[in-house]
Amino acid sequence: MEDTTVKRQTDDTANNPGTDSERFPEQFARTRRFSLGVPRQFTLSPDGRRVLFVRTGSGSDPVGRLWQYEGGEERLLADPVLLVGGGSEDVPEEERLRRERARERSVGVVGYATDDAVRVVAFALSGALWAVRTDGGAPFTVPAAGPVVDPRPSPDGRYIAYVSGRALHVVELDGDDRQLTRPEGPEVSYGLAEYIAAESMGRSRGYWWAPDGRGLLVARADTSPVARRYLSDPADPARPPQVIRYPSAGTANAEVTLHLLTLDGARTEVSWDRAGYEYVVDAGWDAHGPFVAVQSRDQRALRTLAVDPVTGATEVRHERTDPAWVELVPGTPARTAAGALVVPEDDGDTRRLTVDGRRVTPEGLQLRAVLGVEGERVLFTASEDPTETHVWRHEPGAGCRRLSGEPGVWTGTGRGGTTVLAGLTPRGHEVRVLRDDDGPAEGSAPGIASLAEEPVIIPRPIHLALGQRELRSVLYFPSWYRQGTGTLPVLLDPYGGPALQLAVRARGWTGCVSQWFAEQGFAVLVTDGRGTPGRGPVWEKAVYGDLVGPALEDQVDAVRAAGERFPDLDLGRVAIRGWSFGGFLAAAAVLHRPDVFHAAVAGAPPTDQRMYDTHWKERFLGHPDEQPETYARSSLTGHGHLLRRPLMLVHGLADDNVAVAHTLRFSAELLAAGRPHTVLPLPGATHLPADDAVNANLLRVQRDFLKDALPAPEEDSTGR
């Protein structure tokens, strides 16, 4: 039975141009998903008194600027508008790819690096090398051999290393440039992270300074064994295709080696069992020498190696193994000042922090990342409840202490008796500066201002633990809706897969979008099922060998449990939408469970798991030549004939992460099987579309499709 009051309010909210609901899509796009104006990339001086950070000029200004915070005051160190004029940039191709890998949505100063004293700062603008001294003076250019990527000062501030033309250079601040490496061919680069490292391992760097500034540990990547892909723009047929090297599951990876370089040109290769451990997960160089973490192709073993800085020989210092895969924890391995190794350990169903072989975190506290080591202190993030992530500090003799107070998803950095806490809280982005003698940071702590715009749609989450597995979920009702006045169609809005949570106690952009869909007349349910992080190794690895079954089962259980608790949810009208893994899950839902899901929008879905990259897919599904059944079971291709429900496929034609071929091949399969569906191509768009008009109207297109696709409300016996 349809409630006419509900219908009238839904139509009024969705169609009145003056409402916040109608203004939200443009705001969402203009603010780059509310990321502009948010302070980030914090660096503390050795005494903890100064904080460097990047922030754009406002919540709608895309130009990143470099700032210093000291004594409660902010000082602008570098403004690209004044230095190069305007907000547009012409950046080297390597830098464009680095930004795309990092999902960078701003321009200007998007990254920087400093010396150990935080007195010299280096950054790139439009391919030029710039530096600024934090104790005063204007930014200045440093002569470079060509377009600059990833500049980093030496610890003593005398030199700046950078990559140009796939070669590593070192330049003195007065302009004396030395080229330390020469690529041996067009497929070789020095000092850059290869695709797999940046996209799937979380390693964005390709070189590391020695503490004394006299040498560097440098990665060399040879991509010649990697298969080519050609990305063209059908909307511009005169433009030649872009050629990229993409290692699909089961195919060859780039060959990565490490080399010790001195400033006078001497070079020593680092030796380890590269046949058995081909992945370079991370590396570094501290007071105890160089070190590297390497992982086997099947990802079931990860070794931490100490490197002899003279000979390049390595010694195994630690090894982690797992019958499924060894999870990579950001910030590890690391070492304390005394040389104690800091690594994670999966102990039953708890991922724990270990220091010098001793577990220092309690059972049930799930380690998320190591943020840094100072002396014998270890700063890290961990979760007691999967809906929250907090900053903790471990110190010998004092144990573990939680530094972030209120609910949220927190991260940070610490040095010199100061901790900067950056959190996404129920109120939005917040940054607090905490001294050692302060208690857990609450709202009264001093902080660095966020200039992000306040959303015109404020989420109204109802946090739930649903079903026997206590699935962490968030339910959003329309702000104008009163329970008991009629039923609402249900929209599931998950990601639902590895590496990302959405059902958290924080106001992020995804929650704002879910609330916007609720304002259109849906009850919106977001659930983090098995495979998502924060609930321990057993939960994460429940998807090993099957990326569809457990994830989809949890979405089904969640919506049914929510329907039992909230009778206003009409389970006869259930839709699902998502992007990337969420898009894959949405399409799988209407293929395999049409009894539950009646319509879906799938954005950038990886439909054929063999077409995704080696490190990511082999982690969950094994090698496709050895375990082809896991790839068949976890792909949408091969199951297109099952489609019985309305499905919209959305894909950027320039997506170099999940290639548009995923959608095009699946669409061809659906057509061959006689299964009607809708395809929305986005010319020029990568994995996350950047065009403001596209992002704004894409929300409305999805809304209209889902409203048209859902069945009409069931009538009762009187015909009402």
Side-chain angles (χ1 to χ4, degrees):
M1 180 174 64
E2 182 178 12
D3 186 286
T4 56
T5 303
V6 172
K7 184 177 187 303
R8 176 177 55 78
Q9 290 175 322
T10 302
D11 292 343
D12 289 347
T13 304
N15 298 321
N16 183 349
T19 65
D20 290 340
S21 178
E22 187 59 25
R23 292 189 290 120
F24 175 81
E26 277 71 28
Q27 183 193 37
F28 170 72
R30 182 184 68 253
T31 62
R32 307 292 198 272
R33 302 178 176 87
F34 301 101
S35 66
L36 301 181
V38 176
R40 55 192 177 87
Q41 296 187 31
F42 304 97
T43 303
L44 278 161
S45 61
D47 62 3
R49 300 295 176 182
R50 296 179 290 115
V51 185
L52 266 61
F53 64 96
V54 171
R55 186 183 61 201
T56 67
S58 71
S60 58
D61 177 4
V63 181
R65 296 164 174 84
L66 181 65
W67 299 82
Q68 180 169 265
Y69 174 90
E70 184 176 11
E73 301 292 333
E74 296 178 2
R75 179 165 66 90
L76 183 62
L77 294 180
D79 184 348
V81 175
L82 300 178
L83 298 179
V84 298
S88 61
E89 283 191 280
D90 182 17
V91 299
E93 179 65 12
E94 293 91 344
E95 178 64 15
R96 184 194 68 78
L97 292 173
R98 276 169 48 85
R99 295 185 185 186
E100 179 62 28
R101 297 282 81 76
R103 311 291 185 252
E104 179 60 60
R105 314 313 300 172
S106 61
V107 295
V109 179
V110 299
Y112 68 92
T114 77
D115 63 345
D116 188 64
V118 192
R119 292 298 182 186
V120 176
V121 189
F123 55 94
L125 281 177
S126 297
L129 176 57
W130 287 79
V132 64
R133 300 184 185 276
T134 60
D135 53 3
F140 56 94
T141 57
V142 179
V148 169
V149 178
D150 195 24
R152 295 180 179 272
S154 59
D156 58 10
R158 293 183 57 193
Y159 307 97
I160 299 176
Y162 66 91
V163 178
S164 183
R166 296 174 288 105
L168 185 69
H169 293 251
V170 170
V171 61
E172 296 186 55
L173 293 185
D174 63 8
D176 182 18
D177 190 282
R178 311 177 196 180
Q179 183 173 342
L180 299 186
T181 63
R182 296 185 182 278
E184 295 84 355
E187 300 291 342
V188 175
S189 65
Y190 285 89
L192 296 174
E194 74 280 12
Y195 178 92
I196 285 295
E199 186 65 41
S200 296
M201 297 183 201
R203 174 170 66 82
S204 60
R205 299 181 59 174
Y207 69 90
W208 300 263
W209 276 102
D212 61 7
R214 297 179 181 178
L216 303 100
L217 177 65
V218 182
R220 175 188 184 272
D222 181 356
T223 60
S224 57
V226 182
R228 290 182 175 87
R229 283 187 176 180
Y230 301 88
L231 298 183
S232 62
D233 184 359
D236 185 3
R239 184 178 181 180
Q242 175 189 357
V243 182
I244 65 171
R245 293 289 192 174
Y246 190 97
S248 301
T251 67
N253 285 306
E255 295 179 354
V256 180
T257 54
L258 291 171
H259 302 263
L260 297 161
L261 305 180
T262 63
L263 298 189
D264 60 8
R267 171 172 167 174
T268 303
E269 184 171 349
V270 177
S271 61
W272 77 91
D273 178 11
R274 287 179 46 223
Y277 296 83
E278 66 178 79
Y279 289 125
V280 176
V281 171
D282 208 350
W285 198 331
D286 59 18
H288 302 282
F291 61 90
V292 58
V294 295
Q295 190 178 39
S296 59
R297 175 70 182 250
D298 65 11
Q299 301 183 52
R300 294 173 181 170
L302 186 147
R303 287 180 172 177
T304 298
L305 309 177
V307 181
D308 186 306
V310 176
T311 67
T314 57
E315 180 183 351
V316 178
R317 291 296 175 85
H318 187 267
E319 184 168 21
R320 296 168 59 204
T321 60
D322 190 276
W325 73 83
V326 175
E327 184 69 18
L328 306 182
V329 175
T332 64
R335 287 188 287 207
T336 70
L341 190 63
V342 178
V343 292
E345 178 184 314
D346 287 357
D347 175 27
D349 200 21
T350 301
R351 179 158 298 128
R352 300 172 73 166
L353 176 69
T354 70
V355 179
D356 201 23
R358 185 172 63 89
R359 299 167 185 162
V360 299
T361 50
E363 183 179 358
L365 181 64
Q366 305 292 349
L367 176 68
R368 308 297 289 267
V370 171
L371 303 176
V373 177
E374 183 184 22
E376 301 308 305
R377 289 180 166 185
V378 180
L379 196 70
F380 62 97
T381 54
S383 298
E384 298 165 287
D385 182 301
T387 65
E388 300 181 27
T389 300
H390 288 279
V391 176
W392 294 72
R393 183 174 66 217
H394 173 264
E395 188 172 8
C400 294
R401 177 191 177 197
R402 197 175 103 177
L403 303 182
S404 49
E406 68 177 285
V409 177
W410 293 91
T411 186
T413 188
R415 197 180 187 193
T418 296
T419 304
V420 176
L421 300 176
L424 194 59
T425 75
R427 294 186 298 274
H429 292 277
E430 299 187 23
V431 178
R432 297 170 188 168
V433 181
L434 187 70
R435 294 296 295 178
D436 275 357
D437 53 359
D438 297 330
E442 303 294 349
S444 59
I448 297 171
S450 172
L451 306 181
E453 285 192 17
E454 187 75 359
V456 296
I457 296 291
I458 301 297
R460 299 156 57 93
I462 301 172
H463 290 273
L464 304 166
L466 297 172
Q468 293 182 346
R469 286 185 292 279
E470 296 186 336
L471 299 161
R472 300 312 196 267
S473 304
V474 182
L475 182 61
Y476 301 88
F477 282 109
S479 61
W480 42 262
Y481 186 69
R482 298 296 175 264
Q483 293 187 39
T485 60
T487 61
L488 292 171
V490 184
L491 174 62
L492 274 64
D493 197 8
Y495 181 79
L500 182 62
Q501 292 173 268
L502 299 183
V504 294
R505 296 185 183 275
R507 193 187 76 191
W509 68 265
T510 59
C512 295
V513 169
S514 292
Q515 185 66 53
W516 180 82
F517 274 101
E519 299 302 323
Q520 313 309 303
F522 295 97
V524 180
L525 182 65
V526 177
T527 298
D528 290 335
R530 282 169 288 176
T532 57
R535 287 190 67 169
V538 174
W539 184 266
E540 287 177 350
K541 293 172 183 178
V543 298
Y544 181 67
D546 185 359
L547 288 172
V548 177
L552 183 53
E553 182 182 10
D554 286 346
Q555 298 300 318
V556 172
D557 289 354
V559 72
R560 286 178 170 170
E564 292 177 1
R565 190 176 301 188
F566 297 91
D568 291 357
L569 273 58
D570 184 352
L571 299 192
R573 294 184 290 159
V574 178
I576 182 171
R577 65 176 290 272
W579 200 269
S580 196
F581 187 93
F584 160 76
L585 188 56
V590 289
L591 286 181
H592 297 293
R593 295 305 303 269
D595 56 319
V596 177
F597 301 97
H598 306 98
V601 173
T607 63
D608 183 346
Q609 305 294 359
R610 293 187 69 131
M611 290 175 60
Y612 205 75
D613 75 58
T614 52
H615 194 269
W616 191 252
K617 285 307 170 190
E618 292 175 18
R619 178 184 309 178
F620 310 110
L621 301 177
H623 195 288
D625 293 343
E626 300 169 0
Q627 297 172 277
E629 72 283 355
T630 65
Y631 284 80
R633 179 168 56 240
S634 297
S635 292
L636 303 179
T637 53
H639 303 282
H641 63 282
L642 299 176
L643 184 65
R644 298 291 188 277
R645 300 295 192 184
L647 170 64
M648 173 184 279
L649 301 168
V650 186
H651 219 122
L653 297 182
D655 193 335
D656 62 355
N657 180 14
V658 182
V660 69
H662 283 271
T663 283
L664 296 179
R665 292 183 183 183
F666 186 54
S667 173
E669 178 182 324
L670 293 173
L671 183 61
R675 304 304 180 199
H677 61 286
T678 300
V679 177
L680 178 61
L682 304 177
T686 57
H687 193 56
L688 289 179
D691 184 88
D692 287 358
V694 168
N695 279 325
N697 288 313
L698 189 55
L699 291 177
R700 298 187 177 101
V701 167
Q702 294 178 75
R703 173 199 64 193
D704 294 345
F705 174 82
L706 293 171
K707 280 180 169 290
D708 291 342
L710 284 179
E714 293 185 4
E715 296 181 346
D716 62 21
S717 59
T718 65
R720 291 180 295 177

